[in-house]
Amino acid sequence: MDRRTFLKATAIGSIATGIGSTLAAAERYFPTKVDQSLFEGINRVKDPAKKTPLEKSHAPAISAPASVKAGEPFTVEVSIGEKLHVMGPAHWIEYIALAIGNEPAGRIDLQPKGFLSPRVTFTVVIPKEAAPAGKVTLVASQHCNLHGTWESSLDISVV
């Protein structure tokens, strides 16, 4: 075997070993198999009367007053899941975001260390011109590292 052939074989073997060990490490640290269809779009609860276990633990729950005064602050609480979603190194919520209609209102990034609960309180002020029809839609979204992006909405009136 000449030197060039030896070096090529060594380089290819090193690359193949590196890829193989990376894949093995990924399966060791993230052993949960993931449904890839959850990452194709935004997931929403299909039937609020018959939520699946996945919907119960991943759909954002929005808590806000039914009616607010324009120009005055109010709080909106967004929690992930009816029973709070777990936060651990293999399965966590990456962020929680709130929008008023299509306008972003706030976003909180979370860490997978388990120190935070996926529940956030936003303080919001809606100007009168933002609700010409007298109502707005609050849209909460979150991204789970294993189950993709989830979204929920809530209509409130603005007087």
Side-chain angles (χ1 to χ4, degrees):
M1 174 183 300
D2 67 349
R3 184 170 189 242
R4 178 172 283 171
T5 305
F6 173 76
L7 292 174
K8 281 184 190 177
T10 303
I12 290 171
S14 296
I15 291 170
T17 302
I19 291 171
S21 64
T22 301
L23 293 175
E27 285 191 12
R28 184 174 61 241
Y29 291 114
F30 298 102
T32 306
K33 298 297 178 201
V34 176
D35 179 2
Q36 290 299 318
S37 69
L38 293 171
F39 291 88
E40 293 174 359
I42 296 174
N43 301 296
R44 295 176 182 87
V45 173
K46 291 173 183 46
D47 182 2
K50 297 180 186 176
K51 291 182 184 177
T52 66
L54 188 64
E55 291 171 340
K56 286 180 182 179
S57 65
H58 286 83
I62 305 170
S63 176
S67 179
V68 298
K69 289 186 178 182
E72 292 188 12
F74 64 97
T75 60
V76 177
E77 182 178 274
V78 179
S79 58
I80 306 307
E82 292 175 3
K83 183 181 139 195
L84 284 181
H85 187 283
V86 297
M87 295 289 282
H91 188 192
W92 75 94
I93 301 302
E94 295 176 0
Y95 67 83
I96 300 171
L98 179 68
I100 299 170
N102 290 327
E103 294 294 323
R107 175 180 158 140
I108 301 293
D109 291 321
L110 304 172
Q111 298 296 316
K113 296 185 181 359
F115 300 126
L116 299 172
S117 291
R119 177 182 289 148
V120 179
T121 301
F122 296 95
T123 301
V124 180
V125 177
I126 300 177
K128 186 69 174 163
E129 59 273 7
K135 73 172 194 158
V136 295
T137 302
L138 302 175
V139 180
S141 61
Q142 65 92 351
H143 185 81
C144 173
N145 73 312
L146 293 181
H147 299 107
T149 302
W150 290 77
E151 185 178 272
S152 297
S153 62
L154 177 70
D155 292 331
I156 62 171
S157 64
V158 180
V159 292

